[in-house]
Amino acid sequence: MTEEYVVLVDNQGEFQGLQEKMAAHKQGALHLAFSVLLYRNTTSGREYLLHQRALHKYHSGGLWTNTCCSHPRQHESIEQAGIRRLAEEMGITEVTSLSDIGHFCYYAELDNQLFEHELDHVLVADAGEIKVVPNADEVMDYRWWSEEEIKQTLKTQPELFTAWFCQVFAFATK
């Protein structure tokens, strides 16, 4: 397995260098990230495709989160990275365009003595008809959640979700 690197940035998103992914998460170095949230409109309202992270992930295993998330590679656009990870993580190949609706910076202490310190771009798309074939190395479960169900569960059981999800969801529902 080859080493993965993250793109280090300052608070304005300006390139500061590269760092090996696990080292960045151990040190809490600010790096570029993205969170994809696919939605669909149904007769009963808008639904969002969430996934439950595989238990053996390096952090946040078993928690629910947006459709997929990761880090762009050097010289890869945020949108290209999102489309790549939709295929790698969720087996979704029908989505060919994503809208970057904004970004936020956050810092969170995670399990396994790791930290997330990310400038996270929120990417959304209307999923339409898609086929989901999740990668078992990444995903334990997935399903469509209604907007109201997400809101209610965030209020009553926020511990079921990843540290970044509430902010991603807030951007998507503005």
Side-chain angles (χ1 to χ4, degrees):
M1 190 166 131
T2 60
E3 282 188 338
E4 290 184 58
Y5 289 84
V6 295
V7 176
L8 301 178
V9 294
D10 63 17
N11 287 330
Q12 288 72 46
E14 295 296 321
F15 179 81
Q16 300 295 304
L18 298 174
Q19 187 172 24
E20 191 276 324
K21 182 172 87 170
M22 287 306 293
H25 286 96
K26 287 178 182 174
Q27 296 171 10
L30 180 59
H31 57 279
L32 202 52
F34 62 87
S35 295
V36 176
L37 188 57
L38 299 183
Y39 63 88
R40 67 183 182 189
N41 295 312
T42 69
T43 55
S44 57
R46 184 163 281 186
E47 296 179 337
Y48 296 90
L49 182 60
L50 305 187
H51 86 273
Q52 190 176 25
R53 291 170 62 91
L55 288 176
H56 58 270
K57 291 284 289 181
Y58 66 104
H59 69 74
S60 305
L63 298 181
W64 286 93
T65 197
N66 40 278
T67 312
C68 79
C69 49
S70 191
H71 312 94
R73 295 174 177 152
Q74 186 178 24
H75 307 300
E76 181 180 42
S77 76
I78 296 288
E79 183 184 21
Q80 289 169 329
I83 291 168
R84 171 179 55 82
R85 287 303 291 168
L86 274 173
E88 292 171 354
E89 240 177 270
M90 299 297 287
I92 297 171
T93 58
E94 298 88 353
V95 176
T96 58
S97 179
L98 297 166
S99 297
D100 187 339
I101 60 170
H103 61 273
F104 61 94
C105 189
Y106 76 100
Y107 181 87
E109 190 171 338
L110 306 172
D111 53 340
N112 298 330
Q113 299 175 337
L114 297 175
F115 303 90
E116 280 290 23
H117 191 192
E118 295 184 332
L119 182 64
D120 193 9
H121 286 257
V122 180
L123 306 173
V124 299
D126 186 338
E129 293 297 316
I130 58 170
K131 183 178 178 186
V132 181
V133 184
N135 178 342
D137 289 334
E138 304 280 346
V139 178
M140 181 171 146
D141 196 7
Y142 71 94
R143 70 178 180 90
W144 292 96
W145 293 57
S146 72
E147 188 169 320
E148 193 52 45
E149 182 183 12
I150 293 171
K151 288 177 181 176
Q152 188 60 35
T153 308
L154 280 170
K155 282 182 190 171
T156 60
Q157 296 177 288
E159 70 278 2
L160 296 181
F161 298 97
T162 58
W164 59 90
F165 178 71
C166 66
Q167 290 176 276
V168 171
F169 185 66
F171 262 95
T173 55
K174 278 185 183 177

